[in-house]
């Protein structure tokens, strides 16, 4: 893996590579943009490239066997074996990207690099020996501050990646602020966030902002195919994914749920709507994805129709668009989804049709 493994973020990657090459890396960087577009992966690659030694990692050959202690002559003749010298071999000439083969890169790839720390709620649960919580706590940020004061162990830079940094409540953000105000030399803190305004203005003003755009559909399709999706399915999900791998995964989960419904089951609409998540933010995102699926299906039916059927689909298209707009307001997502599904069924578009190409 290197920067070349990140698709659809060419402009941003170019900017980050220029930062590495210049050697003027800001102590605090905010990667912001929609979920599922590669912010975290890029942060890891950035940390790898920054710490890459660009020299080949070679295992030391095994030490020669120790001389037999009883054989005094042999021991006196050989003396202590000299440490084999391994001159580092330059194997990678691009200073703005990682080589993938040096000791630093290998450790980073295995998640065991002593100077690259990923701070998220899963890491916090292990650190504080408790069950995973939704928020990053003050204690975790204090621990980060303490590590930041220590010298790097293996490489030139200590990189902290705070993943989904919106999980820090204001007191935790204030605890981090000290590190950003007086950054120890060679320290970089990268915060990845979907909405940068979830961070305190004092954090934002001390950080370099790097924006990530939504993924172009061809890049999203390539990623989905690499993850095992069939080309036709990948193309459909890429179209529904609105430039986000996370949204494409939501759409895929929906299609799976839909394909499990029994056609003709009178209660399928209610069962489907009842399966919405309790978390209102997640429920809204799921309802929006489903309405997008319904809209896509209605549009293709409208294009193929003529006469009275065309009028029927025009009305359904308008109605579904209205419901889609309502999904951005404070409404009952359960009722919204139920209404959309029932009206579509009445017009002849069944939920199970959504999984048909
Ligand atoms: Zn390397």
């Amino acid at each position: 893996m290197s920067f070349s493994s990140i698709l659809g973020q060419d402009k941003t990657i170019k900017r980050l590579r220029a930062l590495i090459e210049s050697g003027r890396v800001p102590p605090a960087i905010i990667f912001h943009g929609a979920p599922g577009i590669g912010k975290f992966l890029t942060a890891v690659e950035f940390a790898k490239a920054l710490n890459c030694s660009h020299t080949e990692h070679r295992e030391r050959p095994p030490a020669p066997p120790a001389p037999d202690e009883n054989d005094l002559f042999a021991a006196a003749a050989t003396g202590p074996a000299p440490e084999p010298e391994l001159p580092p071999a330059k194997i990678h000439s691009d200073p703005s990207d990682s080589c993938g083969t040096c000791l630093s890169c290998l450790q980073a790839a295995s998640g065991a690099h002593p100077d690259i720390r990923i701070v998220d709620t899963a890491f916090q649960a292990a650190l504080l020996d408790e069950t995973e919580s939704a928020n990053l706590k003050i204690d975790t940020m204090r621990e980060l501050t303490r590590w930041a004061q220590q010298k790097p162990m293996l490489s030139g830079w200590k990189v902290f990646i705070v993943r989904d940094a919106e999980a820090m409540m204001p007191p935790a953000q204030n605890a981090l602020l000290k590190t950003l105000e007086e950054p120890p030399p060679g320290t970089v803190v990268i915060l990845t966030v979907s909405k940068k305004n979830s961070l305190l203005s004092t954090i934002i003003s001390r950080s370099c902002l790097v924006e990530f755009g939504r993924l172009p559909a061809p890049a999203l399709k390539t990623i989905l195919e690499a993850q095992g999706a069939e080309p036709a399915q990948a193309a459909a999900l890429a179209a529904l994914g609105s430039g986000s791998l996370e949204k494409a995964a939501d759409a895929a989960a929906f299609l799976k749920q839909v394909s499990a419904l029994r056609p003709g089951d009178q209660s399928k609409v209610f069962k489907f709507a009842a399966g919405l998540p309790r978390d209102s933010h997640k429920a809204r995102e799921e309802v929006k994805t489903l309405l997008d699926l319904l809209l896509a299906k209605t549009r293709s039916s409208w294009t193929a129709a003529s006469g009275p059927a065309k009028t029927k689909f025009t009305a359904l298209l308008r109605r579904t668009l209205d419901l889609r707009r309502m999904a951005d307001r404070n409404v009952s997502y359960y009722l919204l989804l139920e209404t959309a599904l029932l009206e579509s069924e009445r017009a002849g578009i069944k939920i199970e049709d959504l999984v048909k190409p």
Side-chain angles (χ1 to χ4, degrees):
M1 291 280 279
S2 64
F3 278 133
S4 61
S5 61
I6 293 161
L7 300 179
Q9 297 294 355
D10 301 354
K11 226 170 90 185
T12 309
I13 301 286
K14 203 173 157 192
R15 187 175 162 203
L16 293 173
R17 291 177 68 143
L19 275 181
I20 296 174
E21 209 152 9
S22 72
R24 290 195 300 274
V25 181
I29 313 177
I30 295 173
F31 285 7
H32 66 105
I37 55 174
K39 299 185 298 292
F40 175 70
L41 273 185
T42 308
V44 172
E45 287 306 325
F46 184 79
K48 255 173 79 186
L50 208 53
N51 275 335
C52 175
S53 65
H54 306 293
T55 50
E56 193 176 12
H57 169 57
R58 290 194 246 162
E59 295 289 343
R60 280 189 184 282
D68 184 355
E69 275 179 21
N70 296 324
D71 188 351
L72 294 174
F73 292 104
T78 52
E83 276 282 292
E85 277 299 313
L86 284 180
K90 208 77 174 160
I91 48 161
H92 181 74
S93 57
D94 183 351
S96 69
D97 202 355
S98 58
C99 72
T101 53
C102 72
L103 180 62
S104 174
C105 283
L106 292 175
Q107 288 202 336
S110 69
H113 198 296
D115 302 320
I116 301 173
R117 303 236 185 199
I118 290 154
V119 179
D120 58 11
T121 50
F123 166 81
Q124 173 176 264
L127 178 77
L128 305 178
D129 195 19
E130 55 181 34
T131 50
E132 192 170 342
S133 65
N135 297 330
L136 285 168
K137 300 180 177 176
I138 301 177
D139 285 351
T140 308
M141 293 305 127
R142 286 196 181 134
E143 201 57 25
L144 187 157
T145 307
R146 199 177 61 77
W147 289 324
Q149 302 301 326
Q150 295 166 359
K151 285 197 160 39
M153 292 169 79
L154 183 73
S155 319
W157 295 88
K158 264 176 308 171
V159 187
F160 299 92
I161 301 170
V162 183
R163 188 177 193 175
D164 299 328
E166 49 264 84
M168 290 188 290
M169 293 292 105
Q173 294 188 37
N174 277 322
L176 176 67
L177 200 56
K178 191 179 173 300
T179 309
L180 307 188
E181 280 169 345
E182 296 160 28
T187 301
V188 184
V189 179
I190 302 175
L191 308 171
T192 72
V193 275
S194 305
K195 291 194 175 80
K196 66 172 188 293
N197 291 337
S198 57
L199 298 173
L200 295 176
S201 58
T202 39
I203 299 251
I204 296 175
S205 65
R206 281 170 179 81
S207 308
C208 164
L209 291 169
V210 177
E211 188 176 4
F212 283 67
R214 290 187 175 266
L215 299 170
L220 192 51
K221 179 174 177 281
T222 308
I223 299 170
L224 289 165
E225 280 180 18
Q227 290 181 348
E230 296 292 326
Q233 194 198 13
L237 293 176
L240 290 167
S242 318
S244 154
L245 199 54
E246 197 168 295
K247 196 130 169 94
D250 283 350
F254 257 125
L255 293 180
K256 205 170 157 197
Q257 250 177 291
V258 168
S259 62
L261 290 173
R262 267 189 303 126
D265 181 351
Q266 295 298 313
S267 60
K268 66 185 177 188
V269 165
F270 306 103
K271 280 182 189 163
F272 194 80
L276 276 178
R278 285 175 186 274
D279 179 285
S280 68
H281 174 73
K282 277 192 190 146
R284 179 169 65 184
E285 290 308 307
E286 287 200 12
V287 168
K288 278 158 75 173
T289 305
L290 195 105
L291 288 171
D292 288 342
L293 282 166
L294 277 178
L295 276 172
K297 199 73 198 171
T298 310
R299 263 191 214 106
S300 71
S301 301
W302 177 83
T303 312
S306 58
K310 190 105 178 165
T311 317
K312 179 182 75 176
F313 286 125
T314 307
L316 181 64
L317 205 51
R318 283 209 184 107
R319 178 71 178 138
T320 314
L321 275 169
D322 278 347
L323 292 170
R324 177 68 179 78
R325 275 192 281 271
M326 283 165 72
D328 281 320
R329 293 180 217 146
N330 197 11
V331 290
S332 160
Y333 305 117
Y334 176 86
L335 278 181
L336 196 68
L337 180 60
E338 209 178 271
T339 309
L341 290 175
L342 286 174
E343 291 190 9
S344 299
E345 290 253 326
R346 217 170 290 140
I349 294 179
K350 309 210 172 305
I351 318 179
E352 53 269 30
D353 293 342
L354 298 179
V355 285
K356 294 176 192 156

